[in-house]
């Protein structure tokens, strides 16, 4: 059984036991987090699609911790003008482990 959830403006296909990286949730490590924006639940025998969400469906996950992604360098340069600007950015993320996919 797997589900499609939405968090941080992105959609993820998850099943029990998966460890994924999502946008920063702001939850402490070791706590449980419940995703209520479930777009679909799929099993071998049936499929439930939401319009846009499946009513009463949730996905429970264990928060493993926070971190930052590798640095992305933004470099701006204008030819023959002596202008250049260098900037870096590290996107924060939360690492989670999916524990349960709950239907209605």
């Amino acid at each position: 059984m797997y589900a499609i959830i939405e968090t941080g403006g992105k959609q993820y296909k998850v099943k029990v036991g998966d460890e994924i990286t999502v946008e920063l949730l702001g939850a402490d490590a070791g706590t449980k987090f419940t995703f209520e924006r479930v777009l679909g639940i799929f099993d071998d025998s049936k499929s439930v699609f939401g319009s846009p969400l499946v009513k009463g469906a949730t996905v429970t996950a264990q928060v493993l911790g926070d971190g930052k992604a590798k640095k992305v360098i933004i470099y701006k340069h204008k030819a023959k003008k002596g202008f250049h600007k260098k900037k870096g950015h590290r996107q924060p993320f939360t690492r989670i482990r999916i524990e349960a996919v709950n239907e209605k």
Side-chain angles (χ1 to χ4, degrees):
M1 173 186 285
Y2 68 92
I4 307 293
I5 63 169
E6 181 184 359
T7 179
K10 299 175 181 75
Q11 297 175 3
Y12 299 92
K13 177 182 174 182
V14 297
K15 61 183 177 194
V16 175
D18 283 354
E19 288 188 12
I20 61 170
T21 301
V22 297
E23 293 289 323
L24 191 66
L25 296 175
D28 294 329
T31 61
K32 302 246 189 254
F33 193 86
T34 302
F35 296 97
E36 296 176 353
R37 295 192 56 83
V38 179
L39 305 174
I41 297 178
F42 306 93
D43 202 354
D44 292 336
S45 60
K46 66 177 182 170
S47 299
V48 179
F49 295 95
S51 60
L53 304 175
V54 178
K55 290 188 187 231
T58 59
V59 173
T60 307
Q62 175 85 22
V63 177
L64 301 177
D66 296 336
K68 285 187 175 182
K70 289 180 70 174
K71 184 175 274 194
V72 177
I73 303 296
I74 299 97
Y75 187 75
K76 296 181 179 183
H77 168 72
K78 297 199 180 198
K80 302 176 198 159
K81 301 294 180 195
F83 172 82
H84 61 92
K85 186 190 308 186
K86 183 177 180 182
K87 193 178 212 181
H89 174 73
R90 293 184 67 191
Q91 185 69 26
F93 64 81
T94 299
R95 190 101 179 121
I96 60 170
R97 180 183 304 119
I98 305 300
E99 292 189 338
V101 176
N102 310 311
E103 291 187 59
K104 301 178 195 180

